[in-house]
Amino acid sequence: MRAIAEPYRIKMVEPIAMTTREQREAAIRAAGYNTFLLRSDDVYIDLLTDSGTSAMSDRQWSAMMLGDEAYAGARSFDHLVEAVREHYGFPYVCPTHQGRGAEHLISKILITPGQHVPGNMYFTTTRVHQELAGGTFHDVIIDEAHDPASQHPFKGNVDLAKFQALIDEVGADQIAYINVAVTVNMAGGQPVSMANLRAVRELCDRHGIIMWSDATRLAENAWFIKEREDGYAGRPVTEIAKEMLSHFDGITMSGKKDCLVNIGGFLAMRDEHILTKARELVVVYEGMPTYGGLAGRDLDAMAVGLREALDDDYLAHRIGQVRYLGERLRDAGVPIVQPIGGHAVFIDAAAFLDHLPQDELPAQALAAEIYLDSGVRTMERGIVSAGRDADGRHRHPKLELVRLTIPRRVYTNSHMDVVAESVIRVFERRKEIRGLGFVYEPPTLRFFTSRFEPLPTGSAAGEDRPEPALAHA
Ligand code: P61
């Protein structure tokens, strides 16, 4: 196979600082062992998220200079609408400050309290907004998605039998809509196949159910369809993406991912009534319907980035870079979620730290340990992220993961080498790693701001182990 180099050259650089082990020890202690609470200045390679961390192109920066900052009716809005119509195929757009702004609006619009919302695995902000609107989330993803070792090529697929069972149980009129994420973040950046989207559409049509999408990483999903699904190999991603989106009634979008911008999001849809309701709400929560909490320049940057993210050469490198890191880890025996996903490599922390029970927060502990080793910042995606159920008990997700998230167009494969070496080093001395306990826990989205402390030495599973000190508000 031929090497794939970055399909861009570097015109501006941002120096990053190296830190000493001593500095990192002080920094992680001050952050309560939560990588979200580290200062960016204390981080060497930042793989916390691919959200809002993309490098923009020269074309995006020049579009920003032409942004129209009129309070109402700005032409920057028209540019976004044109791009969405051309590439996503939706006639109507309502901008929001970021993805969760769009999730907030659509949850309020489509959910009547008491209704149910199936989806292909939960996402933190998505589920919170569904619950705040009075809905109940149901996971209808295929079982393979919960198994880190399963090699299923489309682990994001909806399990049609689970979806049908929910319809039979609660009745189609009690289902507000189905939310299909492309790709599925919490499953490891796993894609949904075109065949599955077609089948879900059929089921929705049969029962009169709205089919919505969290299209945050739609370009990456389209790339996987091109690579893995029969009949799509020779086709441009622009075509595949448009076909994917043709199955949906509308989408919520976090532009911070596959629109290659640092801030922004939107709702896009076919139904004028939903647009009218979105406009009524957006003026309350975000801003005028033509800017939705963004500056005109942000809308212009998003319109350009939306197109760039659908470029085949860009995606070949993007997905290739994530795979490069994943394969280095896998070849060294580090347990990771397979197949390697679109935006991140996910370490199976339960297998990596198999001496720690889930209640000792293995993924949180591993993220802290990787930071200590090299200054590489990663993110917990396990029991801490899953939060508590309605009865106040910890949810115990099947996946206990650490996410190494690759920002778009930011790092080179030399950075990936440094990351791989660090994780492998930590893996070699994994038995020394201790668990963590909560010392502060907020009531919602706790992973962002919780604080932890190391559990005492010798508190390994099976021994006399103190309960983590919980301070649930
Ligand atoms: C991330 F730790 N993702 O992956 P907003 N849908 C999907 C997302 O991935 C997503 C949003 C909606 C982030 C940022 C983040 O628990 C966390 O523009 C599939 O961030 O509002 C965001 O879009 C929301 C990190 C969000 C988290 C929630 O890093």
Side-chain angles (χ1 to χ4, degrees), residues 340-370:
I340 296 157
H343 65 302
V345 177
F346 289 71
I347 300 173
D348 180 356
F352 193 114
L353 298 179
D354 58 7
H355 59 290
L356 297 184
Q358 197 170 26
D359 283 338
E360 292 188 9
L361 322 179
Q364 193 74 42
L366 181 55
E369 202 62 37
I370 293 169

Side-chain angles (χ1 to χ4, degrees), residues 139-458:
D139 189 1
V140 294
I141 202 166
I142 57 171
D143 286 342
E144 286 87 341
H146 294 283
D147 172 8
S150 161
Q151 292 286 350
H152 194 294
F154 291 102
K155 280 168 100 171
N157 280 358
V158 171
D159 185 322
L160 297 166
K162 288 186 193 169
F163 183 23
Q164 181 68 59
L166 182 69
I167 299 171
D168 294 343
E169 187 193 329
V170 303
D173 59 336
Q174 286 309 306
I175 294 183
Y177 58 97
I178 182 170
N179 184 50
V180 183
V182 289
T183 57
V184 182
N185 191 349
M186 302 297 276
Q190 303 294 334
V192 181
S193 71
M194 197 73 87
N196 189 249
L197 292 179
R198 242 178 261 128
V200 175
R201 179 78 251 178
E202 270 175 36
L203 200 54
C204 285
D205 284 345
R206 217 173 310 139
H207 295 278
I209 295 171
I210 294 172
M211 182 168 164
W212 208 261
S213 176
D214 177 345
T216 290
R217 296 184 179 84
L218 76 105
E220 291 168 5
N221 198 97
W223 177 264
F224 283 121
I225 289 178
K226 180 179 171 122
E227 265 190 355
R228 297 179 187 168
E229 196 161 352
D230 282 350
Y232 291 94
R235 293 181 47 192
V237 163
T238 45
E239 268 181 41
I240 300 171
K242 209 159 174 185
E243 183 181 331
M244 271 168 53
L245 296 175
S246 73
H247 296 298
F248 294 104
D249 295 298
I251 61 171
T252 53
M253 187 73 194
S254 169
K256 301 173 73 169
K257 286 79 164 175
D258 274 354
C259 293
L260 297 169
V261 288
N262 304 124
I263 193 71
F266 55 87
L267 281 171
M269 73 288 285
R270 301 180 204 289
D271 184 339
E272 217 178 328
H273 300 293
I274 297 179
L275 175 73
T276 303
K277 288 189 186 154
R279 288 188 165 163
E280 287 165 11
L281 289 177
V282 79
V283 291
V284 179
Y285 294 108
E286 306 270 332
M288 280 289 284
T290 53
Y291 75 82
L294 297 168
R297 55 180 171 270
D298 298 327
L299 298 169
D300 268 304
M302 198 150 53
V304 176
L306 182 160
R307 297 173 199 274
E308 291 181 355
L310 292 168
D311 180 82
D312 290 78
D313 293 333
Y314 153 75
L315 281 164
H317 175 263
R318 159 74 179 155
I319 303 292
Q321 183 172 52
V322 176
R323 198 167 289 158
Y324 174 80
L325 173 62
E327 284 172 355
R328 280 213 54 179
L329 295 178
R330 190 195 59 198
D331 294 349
V334 176
I336 59 167
V337 173
Q338 310 221 33
I340 296 157
H343 65 302
V345 177
F346 289 71
I347 300 173
D348 180 356
F352 193 114
L353 298 179
D354 58 7
H355 59 290
L356 297 184
Q358 197 170 26
D359 283 338
E360 292 188 9
L361 322 179
Q364 193 74 42
L366 181 55
E369 202 62 37
I370 293 169
Y371 172 74
L372 277 170
D373 182 74
S374 57
V376 171
R377 169 155 69 172
T378 61
M379 185 194 287
E380 192 268 5
R381 294 280 83 167
I383 184 170
V384 178
S385 294
R388 291 173 183 270
D389 62 21
D391 299 329
R393 284 185 299 254
H394 290 293
R395 293 187 176 108
H396 286 85
K398 291 206 184 95
L399 298 177
E400 179 71 22
L401 309 174
V402 169
R403 188 178 75 171
L404 311 173
T405 340
I406 319 298
R408 297 171 180 78
R409 307 192 292 205
V410 172
Y411 292 116
T412 66
N413 283 3
S414 306
H415 291 106
M416 298 303 115
D417 288 336
V418 171
V419 173
E421 281 165 19
S422 173
V423 172
I424 293 165
R425 224 171 14 243
V426 173
F427 186 60
E428 281 161 2
R429 46 172 211 73
R430 59 192 177 277
K431 295 291 178 209
E432 297 162 25
I433 298 170
R434 284 190 279 151
L436 294 173
F438 280 92
V439 289
Y440 163 69
E441 181 190 350
T444 46
L445 298 177
R446 62 181 181 176
F447 50 90
F448 283 129
T449 53
S450 281
R451 301 180 71 83
F452 309 91
E453 65 184 8
L455 294 171
T457 325

